[in-house]
Amino acid sequence: MESLTDAWHNVFAHQARPDTSVILVTAAVAAAAVLYLPSWRIARHVVTIAHEAAHGIAAVACGRRLSGIRLHSDTSGVTVSSGKRTGPGMVLTAAAGYIGPALIGLGAALTLSAGYALAVLWGVLVLLALLLIQIRNWFGLWSVLASAGVVFAVTWWAPESVQSGFAYLVTWFLLVSAPRPVIELQLERRRRRTTTSDADQLARLTVLPAVVWVGVFILVTLGALVGGAIALLQTS
């Protein structure tokens, strides 16, 4: 009980900002994970988790009923919700996926800039726990449990310096990785003329064509990257 109480107090305890070299190294590692294709094939699953979680959060926030989430081994995912098939709620739900990882990363960056590294990790754990309730397939269950296991191990047993470095690594990864799926989306749309993507769904829900929605996704993800980088690299 004392350990749980101490852990709860530590969540909201102020942690010292790590050296700038640590912040830069975690940024470089995150960028390498995104740019190096073999590592990206694995790390892409983390982006999918954040993508589908964002769909789910938006659906619930808009008053829709969340029916379940599936994560697939090819890094795709599906979030199913019920409610009105048109209108602002459906638009926000569809738009949340590709910008979700970037916005989560931006929120984490602002939290880190305030000195709450452990709060970032616990926030990730809470998000994964909520997502776990909605998972409806075995691969998705394994993906979320594996991710939660890593974060929990660092949060519970690692020293404070490792926790801080890991929080920066996760945050950088979310920020740096967010634009790549959007670029992949547009390349896939041009190559296969698909009409089932989030951008195409939004085009059917609104007056804006799919390519404009892709542009919105790019602007938001790049804006979050710039804003997050400024917050993470500030010296005071």
Side-chain angles (χ1 to χ4, degrees):
M1 182 63 69
E2 290 181 358
S3 296
L4 290 175
T5 302
D6 291 341
W8 176 254
H9 288 301
N10 289 337
V11 170
F12 300 103
H14 189 277
Q15 286 92 32
R17 181 179 183 273
D19 292 339
T20 302
S21 60
V22 173
I23 299 175
L24 293 176
V25 167
T26 55
V29 172
V34 173
L35 296 175
Y36 183 52
L37 185 57
S39 62
W40 173 244
R41 288 171 179 166
I42 299 173
R44 179 70 170 79
H45 290 286
V46 176
V47 183
T48 302
I49 290 173
H51 178 114
E52 300 305 330
H55 277 312
I57 292 170
V60 173
C62 292
R64 299 179 61 81
R65 182 177 179 181
L66 190 59
S67 302
I69 296 173
R70 292 176 177 270
L71 306 173
H72 303 136
S73 59
D74 63 355
T75 72
S76 66
V78 177
T79 298
V80 180
S81 63
S82 58
K84 290 183 63 177
R85 296 185 177 182
T86 59
M90 189 61 202
V91 171
L92 289 174
T93 299
Y98 279 99
I99 65 175
L103 295 181
I104 295 171
L106 179 59
L110 294 174
T111 304
L112 284 175
S113 69
Y116 300 103
L118 196 56
V120 169
L121 298 182
W122 277 104
V124 171
L125 276 176
V126 170
L127 182 62
L128 290 172
L130 293 174
L131 180 62
L132 188 63
I133 299 172
Q134 295 295 332
I135 292 296
R136 296 294 183 267
N137 68 324
W138 287 111
F139 184 83
L141 180 65
W142 179 88
S143 296
V144 176
L145 283 176
S147 301
V150 172
V151 178
F152 179 80
V154 173
T155 302
W156 196 259
W157 290 297
E160 183 176 313
S161 58
V162 174
Q163 292 173 346
S164 180
F166 187 71
Y168 273 85
L169 177 61
V170 171
T171 301
W172 276 119
F173 177 77
L174 289 171
L175 292 170
V176 175
S177 65
R180 180 161 182 171
V182 182
I183 297 171
E184 293 175 344
L185 165 66
Q186 183 58 21
L187 292 175
E188 183 70 12
R189 291 186 67 256
R190 292 183 61 183
R191 183 166 54 247
R192 298 188 180 183
R193 302 293 181 180
T194 179
T195 59
T196 59
S197 70
D198 290 352
D200 292 289
Q201 183 181 9
L202 286 163
R204 291 190 291 271
L205 291 168
T206 66
V207 298
L208 300 178
V211 67
V212 173
W213 282 106
V214 174
V216 171
F217 296 160
I218 281 289
L219 288 175
V220 173
T221 54
L222 291 179
L225 173 57
V226 173
I230 292 173
L232 292 173
L233 294 172
Q234 66 181 4
T235 57
S236 60

